[in-house]
Amino acid sequence: MKAVNFGIDLGTTNSLIARFENENVVLFKNPIGHKESLASVVAFRKDRVLIGDKAREYLQKDPVNVFGSFKRRMGTDYKFYVVNIDENMTPVELSAMILKELKRFIHTAEEPEAVVITIPASFDTMQATATKEAGMKAGFQEVFLLQEPIAASLAYFNHTNQSDEDGLWLVYDLGGGTVDIALIETKEGEMKVKDHEGHNFLGGVDFDSLIIEKLFVPKMSGKLNIDNFYEQLIERYGKYEKIYYYLLYLAE
């Protein structure tokens, strides 16, 4: 089997793609704007689909047709209803769109057949299978999964002089949607996860929501004099929905 040189971090809030060449990791940049990361957000207009930062910006104009944080729903039957196209989208389908967009970052004219995609250590079998399915839908012929703490540990040990040390390492991964804590053991040049624990609904987006609930809303309620303002603010399709998403943007 040929070496798999392409790796993808399919994140809750941001994603990126890289290639391993000449003993170095090269991050590909978005040809539009030249950012290394891609916002994991998909927006559906009536005439086209927006992916990435443009989709995130569109959130303030038409929040009911913009979707993010779908990584947290991987491996479930959850559906996202898109008003503009009158269809339901699955987390796998939305993730596949992000992966396809990341392939556009590759400026070397290569069409990778296989890729490594990192996943949280707390992902179960169904979530891992869903991630593989998204990779296949994006056009990859083979998808290999690597736990994010392992990826972080490999990156660390490959760039330090400690690769020959045996021991236990505690690796924290606090992301946009999930938090993982993994106990890594290195022994005789090999590395493995001894144990891990995680929460798929504890991350940056939760902090953003709490900033609104605990800091913004109390300040605003005193000035607006609106009963049950927070409940109205977070109501789906409610009259304050656009304000809520603007506050989320400010909180982030």
Side-chain angles (χ1 to χ4, degrees):
M1 186 182 73
K2 292 178 63 177
V4 182
N5 290 333
F6 288 89
I8 290 177
D9 177 2
L10 182 60
T12 305
T13 49
N14 292 287
S15 300
L16 55 79
I17 183 169
R19 191 185 196 285
F20 188 74
E21 58 182 45
N22 299 324
E23 303 299 320
N24 289 305
V25 174
V26 178
L27 288 173
F28 290 104
K29 295 184 179 181
N30 192 334
I32 302 173
H34 301 289
K35 284 182 62 179
E36 291 177 343
S37 61
L38 175 73
S40 301
V41 182
V42 181
F44 294 86
R45 301 184 66 170
K46 290 186 181 295
D47 57 340
R48 61 193 175 115
V49 177
L50 303 175
I51 299 174
D53 290 337
K54 288 295 183 183
R56 181 176 280 170
E57 292 170 10
Y58 196 65
L59 185 64
Q60 297 177 46
K61 297 179 181 178
D62 188 14
V64 299
N65 288 294
V66 182
F67 304 91
S69 301
F70 35 84
K71 176 179 176 177
R72 306 171 113 185
R73 303 288 185 179
M74 292 292 269
T76 71
D77 295 328
Y78 192 89
K79 300 284 197 310
F80 297 87
Y81 176 64
V82 186
V83 175
N84 274 344
I85 61 174
D86 191 26
E87 288 184 19
N88 289 313
M89 301 295 293
T90 67
V92 168
E93 290 170 327
L94 293 170
S95 296
M97 290 181 177
I98 297 296
L99 293 171
K100 284 182 181 178
E101 188 67 19
L102 285 172
K103 289 169 73 174
R104 301 179 194 273
F105 285 28
I106 302 173
H107 56 76
T108 56
E110 294 174 273
E111 182 66 32
E113 297 179 354
V115 68
V116 175
I117 299 178
T118 57
I119 58 172
S122 56
F123 260 24
D124 59 25
T125 302
M126 293 183 68
Q127 291 167 310
T129 300
T131 304
K132 272 196 170 186
E133 184 183 347
M136 303 299 279
K137 280 183 176 292
F140 297 110
Q141 295 179 20
E142 288 188 280
V143 176
F144 301 94
L145 303 180
L146 180 64
Q147 291 178 324
E148 289 162 2
I150 290 286
S153 302
L154 286 171
Y156 175 75
F157 281 104
N158 284 336
H159 287 84
T160 66
N161 295 321
Q162 302 183 42
S163 58
D164 57 347
E165 282 194 14
D166 292 344
L168 296 172
W169 304 80
L170 200 58
V171 181
Y172 293 85
D173 177 11
L174 178 58
T178 63
V179 60
D180 282 310
I181 302 174
L183 182 64
I184 306 290
E185 182 183 38
T186 55
K187 189 174 183 180
E188 297 178 357
E190 294 188 357
M191 182 185 303
K192 65 179 179 180
V193 176
K194 294 288 290 182
D195 201 358
H196 64 81
E197 191 60 71
H199 197 307
N200 289 334
F201 289 86
L202 178 60
V205 293
D206 301 289
F207 302 157
D208 298 341
S209 298
L210 284 170
I211 286 172
I212 293 175
E213 180 183 356
K214 304 298 183 182
L215 299 179
F216 289 179
V217 168
K219 288 286 186 180
M220 297 171 68
S221 296
K223 297 180 180 180
L224 298 174
N225 195 27
I226 300 174
D227 292 335
N228 301 318
F229 176 58
Y230 179 68
E231 287 74 15
Q232 294 189 57
L233 189 66
I234 63 175
E235 182 184 354
R236 187 68 167 164
Y237 309 122
K239 60 181 178 179
Y240 298 122
E241 187 171 42
K242 287 187 178 180
I243 294 175
Y244 176 68
Y245 283 103
Y246 179 63
L247 292 175
L248 271 179
Y249 171 76
L250 294 177
E252 184 180 345

